[in-house]
Amino acid sequence: MTLSNVESKEREIDRQISALSQQQNLLNGLKLELGELADREVLLQSEKNKAKANLDNEYRRLDENPSLDLSVVQRTYQAAWAEVKENLSQQANKRESIEAEMLELARIEQQKLNLQAELVKLKEAHTEARVQRLAVELTKRNVVEVSHTEKCSLDMTLRQCSKRAHEQANQQAFNVLRDRITAALTEKELLENKIESLSMTVQVSDNQVVKSTFIDATRFMTDVQMQMQLVPNKHTPCELLEVSNKYCSKPLVTVSNDKDKETWVELKVRSNKHQDRVLVDNVYYGNSPVRVYLPKGIHNVTVEKGGYESYLRTLNLNEHQKVWAELLRRSDVASKPVATTKVLPQKQSKPQVEASVVSYQDKVEPVTVPDGVVKASVGQTQPAATVTVAEPSVASSPAPTQTTTEPRIDLDEKN
């Protein structure tokens, strides 16, 4: 059902409305004329009554004067009666005309109603056709080929760099799919901005790595080819076209459960801070807001920023999801108390422990440490160090123990 059919029917209704208006004007004119005839009837009836009264008076005088001529009075009365009769006849004709025109008006009105009902059906059929066309355009299967080069940071392993490159290539493929679908829409100008904000589920039926290699020591290149299909919600075409959901009663695409097919859903990550870092499954995706497509299943989301506690969350993605990360300054986060067991020494002088710190340069510095806590002082930053601690002597009687709560001390923390 094309738009021209709807427009043609609308023009036909416009013509019918015009004819209806003309017919209504004609009917109004007849009613006005009928009203004028009714007003004239009142005057004519009054003149006829006067003429009859005069005629009656002349008849009474005829008894006194038999030779009295009554012809003039009779003709006056006859003329007045004739005018009244003519007026009544005209009124009867007007009423008949009005009835006929009212029937014609009703016929035109019914035609208009029929045309409007047909127009409603045409518009519904046209809307259904738009929805079906958009559904086909949205769910068209595409083969997407992309090439991505990832610059690996020095702290990444080869496996991490390769994984990140493939993940970024997949995201690039999803963006290509979105752009390709948008460009092919029949109603592109109307829907382009709405498609940008649409949450997409993507089914990947074939994902092949065509080429994958390191270009140099820090750059990894991968070429992928993916057979992809958008799997929108069944109401998505109606929402995009801003029409009733009654036109979107059936699912657009049946998602296959075959093992060789993956269904990808959209994850949006935002935080309350700028210049943060968003990682999903340890793959860096940039600063928030981030919009990524991931296979359904378990995924780990990390949002971090220097000076703030990292946001960590594990998600079981089965549908589109939005994550809001609230990052708090480390100084604002209260230290969680940890239960520890502390050995209370006997009331005696505190033993001293001598620790030897051996560096790769065979440099040894004796360090005096109280209470069995080891602190090392090294002249230069070294890759590693070996610490030897002489245990203090323990009194013959066992020391009492007491469970207290204090902040955790991490001896392995980097200074």
Side-chain angles (χ1 to χ4, degrees):
M1 184 58 60
T2 62
L3 183 60
S4 60
N5 298 114
V6 175
E7 294 173 344
S8 176
K9 188 63 65 175
E10 287 177 340
R11 288 193 295 269
E12 190 174 350
I13 290 176
D14 290 340
R15 290 193 295 268
Q16 202 68 18
I17 291 174
S18 178
L20 186 64
S21 177
Q22 293 178 3
Q23 186 65 23
Q24 186 64 56
N25 292 336
L26 176 60
L27 183 60
N28 292 338
L30 291 174
K31 289 181 178 180
L32 181 62
E33 292 174 1
L34 179 61
E36 293 174 350
L37 288 174
D39 293 340
R40 179 168 175 74
E41 178 191 0
V42 174
L43 297 175
L44 293 176
Q45 288 286 1
S46 176
E47 292 177 358
K48 186 197 78 168
N49 292 336
K50 289 180 181 179
K52 186 176 183 303
N54 291 334
L55 182 60
D56 292 341
N57 289 334
E58 291 299 318
Y59 270 112
R60 285 192 294 270
R61 291 175 59 194
L62 186 61
D63 293 337
E64 300 174 358
N65 185 8
S67 62
L68 185 63
D69 185 7
L70 301 178
S71 60
V72 176
V73 180
Q74 286 178 340
R75 286 195 296 270
T76 302
Y77 176 72
Q78 291 171 349
W81 173 250
E83 289 185 3
V84 170
K85 187 176 179 180
E86 177 64 22
N87 178 273
L88 293 175
S89 176
Q90 290 177 356
Q91 289 190 56
N93 292 335
K94 289 295 180 184
R95 290 190 181 95
E96 290 179 0
S97 298
I98 288 174
E99 290 179 0
E101 298 304 333
M102 288 182 67
L103 290 174
E104 179 64 16
L105 181 66
R107 185 189 68 80
I108 297 174
E109 179 71 24
Q110 187 60 49
Q111 286 183 343
K112 186 194 77 170
L113 294 176
N114 293 339
L115 289 172
Q116 288 176 336
E118 293 175 6
L119 178 61
V120 170
K121 292 181 180 179
L122 284 174
K123 286 184 175 180
E124 288 188 349
H126 178 60
T127 301
E128 290 177 356
R130 291 178 65 204
V131 169
Q132 293 174 3
R133 180 182 63 195
L134 179 57
V136 171
E137 292 174 346
L138 289 176
T139 57
K140 183 179 179 181
R141 191 176 297 275
N142 284 263
V143 176
V144 179
E145 297 180 2
V146 296
S147 179
H148 178 75
T149 300
E150 184 69 25
K151 186 175 182 180
C152 308
S153 60
L154 297 178
D155 59 346
M156 295 175 64
T157 66
L158 298 181
R159 182 176 181 181
Q160 289 174 335
C161 183
S162 173
K163 179 181 178 182
R164 179 171 174 178
H166 289 306
E167 291 288 344
Q168 295 293 342
N170 288 341
Q171 299 303 316
Q172 185 177 339
F174 295 140
N175 293 333
V176 171
L177 175 64
R178 180 189 294 272
D179 294 341
R180 188 177 295 178
I181 289 176
T182 302
L185 292 177
T186 303
E187 300 183 58
K188 175 183 175 181
E189 295 181 358
L190 175 65
L191 303 175
E192 187 171 10
N193 294 332
K194 298 178 182 179
I195 288 289
E196 289 298 321
S197 60
L198 174 66
S199 293
M200 296 199 307
T201 298
V202 179
Q203 186 183 80
V204 179
S205 56
D206 187 22
N207 188 351
Q208 297 182 0
V209 178
V210 179
K211 185 178 181 181
S212 181
T213 184
F214 278 91
I215 300 176
D216 51 35
T218 60
R219 290 185 301 164
F220 184 86
M221 185 272 291
T222 181
D223 293 344
V224 298
Q225 183 183 79
M226 306 177 69
Q227 190 170 2
M228 312 167 69
Q229 182 180 16
L230 178 62
V231 187
N233 181 281
K234 70 176 184 178
H235 292 151
T236 297
C238 292
E239 293 171 358
L240 291 174
L241 294 173
E242 298 182 354
V243 299
S244 172
N245 284 341
K246 70 178 183 180
Y247 299 105
C248 299
S249 57
K250 297 180 180 180
L252 302 182
V253 177
T254 301
V255 180
S256 173
N257 293 323
D258 295 344
K259 293 183 179 180
D260 61 337
K261 295 187 178 182
E262 288 184 304
T263 300
W264 296 60
V265 293
E266 184 181 75
L267 174 65
K268 295 180 180 179
V269 182
R270 299 178 65 92
S271 81
N272 60 326
K273 299 298 177 183
H274 297 289
Q275 302 300 320
D276 55 1
R277 288 167 48 87
V278 178
L279 299 94
V280 180
D281 299 330
N282 294 323
V283 176
Y284 173 62
Y285 285 97
N287 309 124
S288 67
V290 164
R291 180 181 191 175
V292 297
Y293 296 96
L294 302 167
K296 287 186 176 182
I298 305 296
H299 297 278
N300 297 313
V301 178
T302 303
V303 183
E304 60 186 18
K305 182 176 180 178
Y308 292 83
E309 288 292 323
S310 296
Y311 175 90
L312 306 173
R313 185 174 176 185
T314 299
L315 303 174
N316 186 5
L317 289 181
N318 289 315
E319 58 184 4
H320 306 304
Q321 193 161 343
K322 297 179 181 179
V323 171
W324 171 258
E326 186 78 17
L327 299 182
L328 301 177
R329 289 187 180 275
R330 291 198 177 98
S331 59
D332 297 336
V333 180
S335 300
K336 295 183 179 180
V338 180
T340 61
T341 300
K342 183 177 181 181
V343 179
L344 300 179
Q346 299 290 336
K347 293 182 179 180
Q348 59 185 16
S349 60
K350 298 180 180 180
Q352 302 294 322
V353 180
E354 184 174 283
S356 296
V357 181
V358 182
S359 70
Y360 285 105
Q361 296 178 349
D362 296 331
K363 179 180 180 181
V364 180
E365 296 182 4
V367 181
T368 300
V369 183
D371 294 340
V373 179
V374 178
K375 294 183 179 179
S377 175
V378 182
Q380 299 180 1
T381 303
Q382 301 296 339
T386 302
V387 178
T388 305
V389 179
E391 295 291 338
S393 61
V394 181
S396 59
S397 60
T401 62
Q402 176 181 347
T403 301
T404 62
T405 300
E406 63 181 17
R408 185 188 300 274
I409 298 176
D410 189 356
L411 299 180
D412 296 329
E413 183 177 359
K414 295 181 179 179
N415 292 325

Short mmCIF file of all heavy atoms in Angstrom, two decimals, residues 134-140 181 195 198-203 229-240 250-255 263-264 320:
data_model
loop_
_atom_site.label_atom_id
_atom_site.label_comp_id
_atom_site.label_asym_id
_atom_site.label_seq_id
_atom_site.Cartn_x
_atom_site.Cartn_y
_atom_site.Cartn_z
N LEU A 134 10.35 -1.51 7.42
CA LEU A 134 11.41 -1.16 8.35
C LEU A 134 11.96 -2.41 9.05
O LEU A 134 13.18 -2.53 9.26
CB LEU A 134 10.90 -0.16 9.38
CG LEU A 134 11.90 0.30 10.44
CD1 LEU A 134 13.14 0.92 9.79
CD2 LEU A 134 11.25 1.30 11.40
N ALA A 135 11.07 -3.35 9.39
CA ALA A 135 11.52 -4.59 10.03
C ALA A 135 12.46 -5.36 9.12
O ALA A 135 13.49 -5.89 9.57
CB ALA A 135 10.31 -5.45 10.41
N VAL A 136 12.12 -5.41 7.84
CA VAL A 136 12.99 -6.11 6.88
C VAL A 136 14.33 -5.39 6.76
O VAL A 136 15.39 -6.02 6.73
CB VAL A 136 12.28 -6.20 5.51
CG1 VAL A 136 13.24 -6.73 4.44
CG2 VAL A 136 11.06 -7.12 5.60
N GLU A 137 14.28 -4.06 6.70
CA GLU A 137 15.52 -3.29 6.56
C GLU A 137 16.41 -3.43 7.80
O GLU A 137 17.63 -3.49 7.68
CB GLU A 137 15.18 -1.82 6.31
CG GLU A 137 14.53 -1.58 4.95
CD GLU A 137 14.07 -0.15 4.77
OE1 GLU A 137 14.02 0.59 5.77
OE2 GLU A 137 13.74 0.24 3.63
N LEU A 138 15.79 -3.46 8.98
CA LEU A 138 16.58 -3.57 10.21
C LEU A 138 17.22 -4.94 10.37
O LEU A 138 18.31 -5.07 10.93
CB LEU A 138 15.69 -3.27 11.42
CG LEU A 138 15.25 -1.82 11.64
CD1 LEU A 138 14.31 -1.73 12.82
CD2 LEU A 138 16.44 -0.89 11.83
N THR A 139 16.52 -5.98 9.92
CA THR A 139 16.98 -7.34 10.17
C THR A 139 17.71 -7.96 8.98
O THR A 139 17.95 -9.17 8.98
CB THR A 139 15.79 -8.23 10.55
OG1 THR A 139 14.81 -8.19 9.48
CG2 THR A 139 15.13 -7.76 11.83
N LYS A 140 18.07 -7.15 8.01
CA LYS A 140 18.79 -7.68 6.85
C LYS A 140 20.15 -8.20 7.29
O LYS A 140 20.89 -7.54 8.02
CB LYS A 140 18.95 -6.59 5.80
CG LYS A 140 19.64 -7.08 4.54
CD LYS A 140 19.75 -5.96 3.51
CE LYS A 140 20.45 -6.44 2.25
NZ LYS A 140 20.59 -5.36 1.25
N ILE A 181 23.06 -0.20 8.01
CA ILE A 181 21.61 -0.31 8.15
C ILE A 181 20.96 1.07 8.04
O ILE A 181 19.96 1.25 7.35
CB ILE A 181 21.24 -0.98 9.48
CG1 ILE A 181 21.61 -2.47 9.45
CG2 ILE A 181 19.76 -0.81 9.79
CD1 ILE A 181 21.38 -3.19 10.75
N ILE A 195 17.97 5.99 15.18
CA ILE A 195 18.78 4.78 15.09
C ILE A 195 20.04 4.91 15.93
O ILE A 195 20.50 3.95 16.55
CB ILE A 195 19.15 4.48 13.62
CG1 ILE A 195 17.91 4.00 12.85
CG2 ILE A 195 20.25 3.45 13.53
CD1 ILE A 195 17.45 2.62 13.24
N LEU A 198 19.39 3.80 19.38
CA LEU A 198 18.75 2.50 19.51
C LEU A 198 19.70 1.47 20.12
O LEU A 198 20.85 1.36 19.73
CB LEU A 198 18.30 2.02 18.11
CG LEU A 198 17.71 0.60 18.03
CD1 LEU A 198 16.40 0.52 18.80
CD2 LEU A 198 17.50 0.21 16.57
N SER A 199 19.19 0.73 21.11
CA SER A 199 19.95 -0.37 21.68
C SER A 199 19.77 -1.59 20.79
O SER A 199 18.64 -1.99 20.50
CB SER A 199 19.48 -0.67 23.10
OG SER A 199 19.79 0.38 23.96
N MET A 200 20.89 -2.17 20.35
CA MET A 200 20.82 -3.26 19.38
C MET A 200 21.27 -4.57 19.98
O MET A 200 22.22 -4.62 20.76
CB MET A 200 21.70 -2.95 18.16
CG MET A 200 21.28 -1.76 17.35
SD MET A 200 22.01 -1.80 15.68
CE MET A 200 23.74 -2.00 16.04
N THR A 201 20.56 -5.62 19.64
CA THR A 201 21.03 -6.98 19.85
C THR A 201 21.49 -7.50 18.49
O THR A 201 20.78 -7.37 17.51
CB THR A 201 19.92 -7.89 20.40
OG1 THR A 201 19.51 -7.39 21.66
CG2 THR A 201 20.42 -9.31 20.57
N VAL A 202 22.69 -8.05 18.45
CA VAL A 202 23.27 -8.47 17.18
C VAL A 202 23.53 -9.97 17.24
O VAL A 202 24.11 -10.48 18.20
CB VAL A 202 24.59 -7.73 16.89
CG1 VAL A 202 25.20 -8.20 15.59
CG2 VAL A 202 24.34 -6.23 16.85
N GLN A 203 23.09 -10.67 16.20
CA GLN A 203 23.37 -12.09 16.08
C GLN A 203 24.50 -12.28 15.08
O GLN A 203 24.43 -11.82 13.95
CB GLN A 203 22.12 -12.84 15.60
CG GLN A 203 22.31 -14.36 15.59
CD GLN A 203 21.09 -15.07 15.06
OE1 GLN A 203 20.89 -15.15 13.86
NE2 GLN A 203 20.25 -15.58 15.95
N GLN A 229 23.53 -9.96 11.92
CA GLN A 229 22.13 -9.61 11.73
C GLN A 229 21.62 -8.92 12.99
O GLN A 229 21.83 -9.41 14.10
CB GLN A 229 21.29 -10.85 11.43
CG GLN A 229 19.81 -10.54 11.16
CD GLN A 229 19.03 -11.80 10.87
OE1 GLN A 229 19.48 -12.90 11.15
NE2 GLN A 229 17.84 -11.65 10.33
N LEU A 230 20.98 -7.79 12.80
CA LEU A 230 20.38 -7.09 13.93
C LEU A 230 19.13 -7.83 14.39
O LEU A 230 18.32 -8.26 13.58
CB LEU A 230 20.03 -5.66 13.52
CG LEU A 230 19.35 -4.77 14.56
CD1 LEU A 230 20.28 -4.58 15.75
CD2 LEU A 230 18.99 -3.43 13.96
N VAL A 231 18.98 -7.98 15.70
CA VAL A 231 17.81 -8.65 16.27
C VAL A 231 17.09 -7.64 17.17
O VAL A 231 17.28 -7.64 18.39
CB VAL A 231 18.19 -9.91 17.06
CG1 VAL A 231 16.95 -10.67 17.51
CG2 VAL A 231 19.08 -10.81 16.23
N PRO A 232 16.29 -6.74 16.60
CA PRO A 232 15.61 -5.74 17.42
C PRO A 232 14.43 -6.34 18.17
O PRO A 232 13.94 -7.41 17.84
CB PRO A 232 15.14 -4.71 16.39
CG PRO A 232 14.99 -5.48 15.13
CD PRO A 232 16.01 -6.58 15.17
N ASN A 233 14.01 -5.62 19.19
CA ASN A 233 12.78 -5.98 19.90
C ASN A 233 11.61 -5.89 18.93
O ASN A 233 11.63 -5.09 17.98
CB ASN A 233 12.57 -5.02 21.08
CG ASN A 233 11.34 -5.34 21.89
OD1 ASN A 233 10.22 -5.00 21.49
ND2 ASN A 233 11.54 -5.97 23.01
N LYS A 234 10.57 -6.69 19.14
CA LYS A 234 9.46 -6.70 18.19
C LYS A 234 8.76 -5.36 18.11
O LYS A 234 8.11 -5.05 17.09
CB LYS A 234 8.46 -7.80 18.55
CG LYS A 234 7.65 -7.55 19.83
CD LYS A 234 6.63 -8.66 20.04
CE LYS A 234 5.75 -8.39 21.25
NZ LYS A 234 4.73 -9.45 21.43
N HIS A 235 8.86 -4.53 19.15
CA HIS A 235 8.22 -3.21 19.13
C HIS A 235 9.14 -2.12 18.59
O HIS A 235 8.72 -0.96 18.48
CB HIS A 235 7.77 -2.83 20.53
CG HIS A 235 6.65 -3.68 21.05
ND1 HIS A 235 6.46 -3.96 22.38
CD2 HIS A 235 5.65 -4.34 20.41
CE1 HIS A 235 5.40 -4.73 22.54
NE2 HIS A 235 4.89 -4.98 21.36
N THR A 236 10.37 -2.45 18.26
CA THR A 236 11.33 -1.44 17.82
C THR A 236 10.86 -0.66 16.58
O THR A 236 10.93 0.58 16.58
CB THR A 236 12.69 -2.09 17.54
OG1 THR A 236 13.20 -2.64 18.76
CG2 THR A 236 13.68 -1.07 16.98
N PRO A 237 10.36 -1.30 15.51
CA PRO A 237 9.89 -0.51 14.35
C PRO A 237 8.78 0.46 14.72
O PRO A 237 8.76 1.60 14.23
CB PRO A 237 9.40 -1.58 13.37
CG PRO A 237 10.16 -2.81 13.74
CD PRO A 237 10.30 -2.76 15.23
N CYS A 238 7.86 0.05 15.60
CA CYS A 238 6.77 0.93 16.01
C CYS A 238 7.30 2.11 16.81
O CYS A 238 6.83 3.24 16.65
CB CYS A 238 5.73 0.15 16.82
SG CYS A 238 4.82 -1.07 15.86
N GLU A 239 8.27 1.85 17.68
CA GLU A 239 8.85 2.93 18.48
C GLU A 239 9.60 3.92 17.58
O GLU A 239 9.51 5.13 17.79
CB GLU A 239 9.78 2.35 19.53
CG GLU A 239 9.05 1.52 20.59
CD GLU A 239 9.99 0.77 21.50
OE1 GLU A 239 11.22 0.88 21.27
OE2 GLU A 239 9.53 0.08 22.42
N LEU A 240 10.31 3.42 16.60
CA LEU A 240 11.05 4.31 15.70
C LEU A 240 10.11 5.15 14.86
O LEU A 240 10.36 6.34 14.60
CB LEU A 240 11.97 3.50 14.81
CG LEU A 240 13.17 2.83 15.49
CD1 LEU A 240 13.91 1.93 14.50
CD2 LEU A 240 14.12 3.87 16.07
N LYS A 250 4.21 -9.32 16.22
CA LYS A 250 4.97 -10.54 15.98
C LYS A 250 6.46 -10.28 16.10
O LYS A 250 6.93 -9.21 15.73
CB LYS A 250 4.66 -11.11 14.59
CG LYS A 250 3.21 -11.54 14.41
CD LYS A 250 3.00 -12.10 13.00
CE LYS A 250 1.55 -12.52 12.81
NZ LYS A 250 1.32 -13.06 11.45
N PRO A 251 7.24 -11.25 16.63
CA PRO A 251 8.70 -11.08 16.68
C PRO A 251 9.27 -10.90 15.28
O PRO A 251 8.79 -11.51 14.31
CB PRO A 251 9.19 -12.39 17.32
CG PRO A 251 8.00 -12.94 18.05
CD PRO A 251 6.80 -12.51 17.24
N LEU A 252 10.27 -10.06 15.17
CA LEU A 252 10.86 -9.77 13.85
C LEU A 252 11.81 -10.87 13.40
O LEU A 252 11.84 -11.23 12.24
CB LEU A 252 11.61 -8.43 13.92
CG LEU A 252 10.77 -7.22 14.35
CD1 LEU A 252 11.62 -5.97 14.31
CD2 LEU A 252 9.55 -7.05 13.46
N VAL A 253 12.60 -11.40 14.32
CA VAL A 253 13.60 -12.40 13.97
C VAL A 253 13.57 -13.48 15.03
O VAL A 253 13.50 -13.20 16.23
CB VAL A 253 15.01 -11.79 13.90
CG1 VAL A 253 16.05 -12.86 13.61
CG2 VAL A 253 15.06 -10.72 12.81
N THR A 254 13.58 -14.71 14.61
CA THR A 254 13.70 -15.82 15.55
C THR A 254 15.17 -16.11 15.77
O THR A 254 15.90 -16.47 14.84
CB THR A 254 13.01 -17.09 15.01
OG1 THR A 254 11.63 -16.78 14.78
CG2 THR A 254 13.11 -18.22 16.00
N VAL A 255 15.63 -15.93 17.02
CA VAL A 255 17.05 -16.11 17.33
C VAL A 255 17.37 -17.59 17.42
O VAL A 255 16.74 -18.34 18.15
CB VAL A 255 17.40 -15.41 18.66
CG1 VAL A 255 18.87 -15.61 18.98
CG2 VAL A 255 17.06 -13.94 18.58
N THR A 263 24.73 -14.49 20.03
CA THR A 263 23.88 -13.32 20.14
C THR A 263 24.58 -12.30 21.02
O THR A 263 24.96 -12.60 22.15
CB THR A 263 22.52 -13.69 20.74
OG1 THR A 263 21.88 -14.65 19.90
CG2 THR A 263 21.63 -12.46 20.85
N TRP A 264 24.76 -11.11 20.49
CA TRP A 264 25.47 -10.04 21.17
C TRP A 264 24.46 -8.98 21.62
O TRP A 264 23.54 -8.64 20.89
CB TRP A 264 26.51 -9.41 20.25
CG TRP A 264 27.60 -10.35 19.83
CD1 TRP A 264 27.46 -11.53 19.16
CD2 TRP A 264 29.00 -10.21 20.07
NE1 TRP A 264 28.67 -12.12 18.95
CE2 TRP A 264 29.65 -11.33 19.49
CE3 TRP A 264 29.78 -9.24 20.69
CZ2 TRP A 264 31.01 -11.49 19.53
CZ3 TRP A 264 31.15 -9.40 20.73
CH2 TRP A 264 31.76 -10.53 20.16
N HIS A 320 19.98 -5.98 26.84
CA HIS A 320 20.66 -4.69 26.91
C HIS A 320 20.71 -4.23 28.37
O HIS A 320 19.76 -4.42 29.12
CB HIS A 320 19.93 -3.65 26.08
CG HIS A 320 19.71 -4.06 24.65
ND1 HIS A 320 20.75 -4.44 23.83
CD2 HIS A 320 18.59 -4.17 23.92
CE1 HIS A 320 20.26 -4.76 22.64
NE2 HIS A 320 18.96 -4.62 22.68
#
